Amino acid sequence: MRIYVCVKHVPDTGAYIALTGKTSYDESVKFVINPFDEYGVEQAVRTVEQRGEGEVVIVTVGKDAAEAAIRSALALGAHRGILVRTGQAFLDSGQTSRALQKAIEMDGRPDLVLMGRQSADVEGMQTPYRLAAALGMPVATNVVSIDIRKDRAIVEREMEDGSREVMEMTMPCVVGTTKGINEPRSPRLVEMIKAKNKEIRRIDITDLSVEDSATGAELVELTRPPERSRAVMLQGDPQEMAVELVRQLRQSRVL
Amino acid sequence: MARIGVCIEVEEGVARDANRGVITAAAEGGNEVYALVSSGDPAALRGALEPYGVRTIIRVVAPATDLAKHPDLEAQALVNALRSYDLRGLMAPGTIQSNDRLARIAALLQAPLALDCMAIDVSRLVVMKSYFAGRSLASIRLGGTPWLCSLRPNAVEARLAPAQASVETFEAALRSEDSQMEILETRKSAGKSVNITEAMIVITGGRPFDSEEKFRLLHECAEALGAAVGASRAVVDAGHAPHAMQIGQTGKTVSPRLYIGCGISGSVQHYAGMKGSQVIVGINADKDAPIFQKCDYGLVGDLFQIVPALTAALKSR
C-alpha cells in the first residue's frame, strides 16, 4: 500500500506575523508542519504499521525551507519525501493541487492520499478537493475516522453539532484529516536522526507546467485586523462586577 | 446586474438561519438571486427565502438517483444548473456542509473560491478572509467567472426585502453508478446536539472548568443569557466537554454579538476562533491573562463567584 501525505510548511500560529509589504510578510518567523497535516502523517504511518507493509510518501509544495516540514514528517515515520519547489509565499490552490497531482502520478500509484482539512496560514479549505478532481478520485474532509476495507474506505466526518456523517468511498481516495482522528506521536530522537538520511526528491514547479491551472483568485492585500480599544476593567466584588456588567451590556443594547 | 446563485443549506427540511445573510449579500447592487435547493421541499422553504429577496427557487434533482446520498453527483448537478441558468457567481453559508458543497463545485469548474469570508464586495468581487488564524486579514479578488464564495455566519446582517418567488425544477441526468461515494448514515451525537457557530451569544469555559458541577454553573448562566456554551481546547482534551463545543483554531469559529470567556486565558489559538465577536467579555482570576488585552470588558476575580453572580444579575430586573 502506498500512501501519499501532502503537507504544508506554515508559520507557527503562535508567532507574531509582521507584514512587510502589500502581500508579503516576514518569513523569518518560526515555521512548522501544518498541524492538520500532522494528523494525516500519523494516520498514514499507523496504517502502514498495522498492515505490516506499505510506504508513506510525503509531498510538499513550498520554498526550499519547506524541506523542514518534510523532515518532521519523516521523523514521524514516513519513508521518503518529494519537495516541489516554488519561490512564491502564496500559491494559487489550483496550481498547488495540479503540482501535487503531477508529482504524485510521476512518482507512483497512490492507494490513498491524505492531507489536513485546511492549512493554518491561508485557511483555503479547498486544495483536497482540487487535488481529488485532478486525480479523478473521491474526496471527503473534516474526517475523524478512516476504516480501509479491500477497495473501499469508510470515513466519518464530524459535523458542527458533533454528529458524524458516515460515508463510503471507492479507493483510491483523498481524505482531509482533522483533530480527533488520532493523537500524533512525539518523534523520538532515533527517528529524528534516521529522518536525516531518508530521501527527499526535489522538483521545480516550473518543470511541472501548472500555470494553466490557476483559478483566478488573487491576494490583493494583507492588513492587520483592527485592535480592540482598551478594555473597561470592572471593579468591586463579584456581585458588584456582575451587576455592573449586565447594566452596561443592557445599556449598549448588547443584551 | 448579474444572476447570483445561493446554495441553500437545509437541515431536516428547514432552511438554516445562516442562509439569510448570504441572500442579502448576493442581492447587493441589484443582483438577481437564484436560490438553489438540492434537498427539502422548495415550496416549504418559500417562507424562509422570500422575505430576503429571493424571486427564483430552483429545485435541483436527479430523477435516477438521490443527490442527498452522493455529494459528488450533487455537485455535478449544481454545476449543470449553474451553466443552464448562466449564473455568474455562487454563494453559500460558511458551514461544514456548504463549504464542502462549494469546494466540490469549484474543483469541477476550476473556478476561484473563497470560503468562510468575513466580508464581500460583490460589485468589485473582493472578499475578506482571515489568514494566520486571524493574525491578518486578506483581501482576495475572485478574478474568474463563475466565482464562488461562502460567508461566515453572522458576517453579513440579513436585510428584509420581501419578494414573491417562483419555483422551477432543474433535472440532471446523473445515475448512482456514476458516483464514487455514498453517505451511509448520519450518526447523531449522544446527548444534546450543540451548534455554537450560529449563536448570537456564546459563553465559554476554560481550564478551571474541570468538572460537571463547574460546567453546570456555566450552563445556568447560559440559560439566563440565552447563550450557547463553548469550551477551550484544554477542557475538551481533558474530556470535560465534547469536541463539538471547542472554539479555536482546531475547533469552531464563532462570530456572536456577545462572547463571554470564563477562565479563558486568551491564547492566539483560542482567540482565532472568537475574535470576530462584536463584544468580548473576559473573566479570569489572573489579571495578567492575555485576554484582558483583547476584550471590551474585563472582570478579574474568582470565576466560581462571578459566574453565579452574573446568573443572578441577569435574572433580576
Side-chain angles (χ1 to χ4, degrees):
Chain A
M1 156 161 272
R2 188 175 293 117
I3 307 178
Y4 289 89
V5 187
C6 303
V7 315
K8 193 173 183 187
H9 192 57
V10 298
D12 186 347
T13 46
Y16 173 73
I17 307 289
L19 302 180
T20 55
K22 224 164 178 235
T23 59
S24 58
Y25 66 99
D26 179 3
E27 292 173 44
S28 69
V29 295
K30 179 172 176 231
F31 270 65
V32 295
I33 179 174
N34 180 31
F36 291 101
D37 297 337
E38 239 181 333
Y39 297 114
V41 177
E42 175 65 29
Q43 195 63 26
V45 172
R46 277 191 201 190
T47 301
V48 158
E49 282 171 348
Q50 276 157 18
R51 294 167 81 97
E53 63 82 25
E55 183 187 36
V56 177
V57 184
I58 306 300
V59 193
T60 297
V61 177
K63 295 190 173 184
D64 287 317
E67 186 180 315
I70 302 180
R71 292 281 173 215
S72 301
L74 295 174
L76 293 177
H79 299 87
R80 58 188 176 82
I82 303 169
L83 173 63
V84 178
R85 295 174 61 250
T86 170
Q88 290 179 245
F90 299 111
L91 190 63
D92 177 271
S93 174
Q95 292 179 319
T96 303
S97 349
R98 181 66 74 182
L100 290 169
Q101 173 237 337
K102 289 192 173 186
I104 290 172
E105 288 182 346
M106 270 168 52
D107 183 80
R109 204 183 60 100
D111 293 300
L112 180 64
V113 179
L114 300 179
M115 58 205 292
R117 71 150 197 234
Q118 70 189 61
S119 65
D121 54 358
V122 304
E123 304 168 15
M125 299 180 261
Q126 54 190 271
T127 301
Y129 296 88
R130 299 191 192 271
L131 174 59
L135 289 167
M137 295 180 191
V139 57
T141 68
N142 218 46
V143 169
V144 293
S145 159
I146 309 176
D147 178 12
I148 298 172
R149 310 279 169 89
K150 199 160 162 299
D151 59 347
R152 325 239 118 201
I154 312 278
V155 301
E156 292 187 17
R157 304 179 60 220
E158 191 175 66
M159 310 307 284
E160 263 105 359
D161 59 0
S163 62
R164 294 198 174 184
E165 195 176 76
V166 182
M167 195 150 76
E168 182 180 288
M169 295 196 285
T170 58
M171 299 267 286
C173 59
V174 175
V175 173
T177 52
T178 189
K179 178 175 187 287
I181 190 172
N182 59 47
E183 201 53 59
R185 65 196 67 190
S186 303
R188 298 170 316 166
L189 187 56
V190 59
E191 292 299 327
M192 291 195 274
I193 294 169
K194 271 202 242 173
K196 293 198 172 146
N197 295 322
K198 291 181 179 174
E199 174 204 313
I200 296 183
R201 189 150 58 82
R202 282 163 192 76
I203 307 172
D204 213 284
I205 199 170
T206 48
D207 294 339
L208 294 179
S209 306
V210 301
E211 297 78 24
D212 290 344
S213 299
T215 64
E218 185 201 338
L219 175 65
V220 170
E221 191 180 22
L222 285 174
T223 51
R224 186 152 300 290
E227 291 298 329
R228 267 161 220 276
S229 54
R230 193 173 299 266
V232 172
M233 299 302 293
L234 300 185
Q235 304 297 325
D237 67 28
Q239 285 69 29
E240 288 167 334
M241 287 196 285
V243 166
E244 179 58 14
L245 178 66
V246 172
R247 193 191 71 80
Q248 294 232 18
L249 292 177
R250 281 183 177 152
Q251 186 171 58
S252 54
R253 295 187 168 286
V254 177
L255 272 181
Chain B
M1 223 186 71
R3 293 179 169 195
I4 310 293
V6 175
C7 290
I8 301 298
E9 184 167 330
V10 175
E11 194 174 17
E12 295 183 352
V14 176
R16 285 180 73 162
D17 286 351
N19 291 303
R20 301 187 298 199
V22 182
I23 294 168
T24 296
E28 199 66 48
N31 289 326
E32 272 183 78
V33 178
Y34 282 64
L36 297 159
V37 175
S38 46
S39 82
D41 174 17
L45 298 172
R46 257 209 186 97
L49 304 176
E50 286 176 327
Y52 300 94
V54 171
R55 288 198 164 77
T56 314
I57 300 173
I58 305 168
R59 181 175 158 254
V60 178
V61 291
T65 182
D66 182 0
L67 294 180
K69 288 202 171 135
H70 303 283
D72 53 352
L73 298 184
E74 187 198 51
Q76 186 61 60
L78 287 164
V79 165
N80 296 352
L82 178 152
R83 286 181 172 143
S84 174
Y85 282 89
D86 195 28
L87 303 177
R88 187 82 60 81
L90 207 54
M91 296 180 64
T95 60
I96 293 176
Q97 202 199 94
S98 291
N99 286 341
D100 177 272
R101 184 171 286 130
L102 287 195
R104 292 182 189 279
I105 296 170
L108 287 171
L109 293 167
Q110 295 192 66
L113 168 70
L115 295 173
D116 192 39
C117 298
M118 291 149 61
I120 178 169
D121 181 335
V122 180
S123 55
R124 289 170 55 227
L125 287 180
V126 174
V127 298
M128 179 123 61
K129 256 189 75 74
S130 131
Y131 266 23
F132 307 117
R135 295 286 211 171
S136 301
L137 294 176
S139 294
I140 296 164
R141 185 179 304 120
L142 299 175
T145 308
W147 49 267
L148 293 93
C149 161
S150 81
L151 293 183
R152 188 174 282 188
N154 301 332
V156 173
E157 208 179 309
R159 212 182 319 131
L160 289 170
Q164 275 198 309
S166 61
V167 179
E168 302 177 21
T169 299
F170 177 84
E171 287 191 0
L174 299 167
R175 311 162 310 159
S176 304
E177 303 89 89
D178 301 325
S179 175
Q180 294 172 303
M181 64 187 71
E182 182 177 348
I183 296 173
L184 302 178
E185 61 163 326
T186 299
R187 218 173 277 150
K188 291 282 176 201
S189 59
K192 210 157 90 75
S193 95
V194 178
N195 188 347
I196 51 178
T197 58
E198 291 181 11
M200 290 308 274
I201 305 178
V202 175
I203 183 167
T204 300
R207 199 182 294 265
F209 288 87
D210 54 9
S211 73
E212 224 180 283
E213 303 95 80
K214 288 177 179 166
F215 250 100
R216 201 172 311 129
L217 292 177
L218 267 185
H219 283 285
E220 281 167 8
C221 194
E223 214 172 314
L225 279 166
V229 181
S232 70
R233 179 172 182 161
V235 171
V236 171
D237 285 351
H240 299 301
H243 186 237
M245 279 171 65
Q246 184 180 325
I247 293 174
Q249 195 198 1
T250 52
K252 302 254 174 46
T253 299
V254 296
S255 325
R257 193 171 70 238
L258 172 63
Y259 172 94
I260 302 177
C262 308
I264 296 290
S265 65
S267 72
V268 173
Q269 290 80 6
H270 182 83
Y271 198 61
M274 37 65 66
K275 67 187 318 209
S277 311
Q278 229 176 289
V279 174
I280 297 176
V281 176
I283 306 176
N284 200 301
D286 178 8
K287 65 172 172 37
D288 296 320
I291 188 73
F292 292 126
Q293 306 308 317
K294 306 167 176 177
C295 65
D296 300 294
Y297 297 96
L299 287 73
V300 180
D302 180 350
L303 295 173
F304 304 107
Q305 290 191 39
I306 295 177
V307 173
L310 188 52
T311 307
L314 287 161
K315 285 182 174 166
S316 74
R317 267 259 140 242

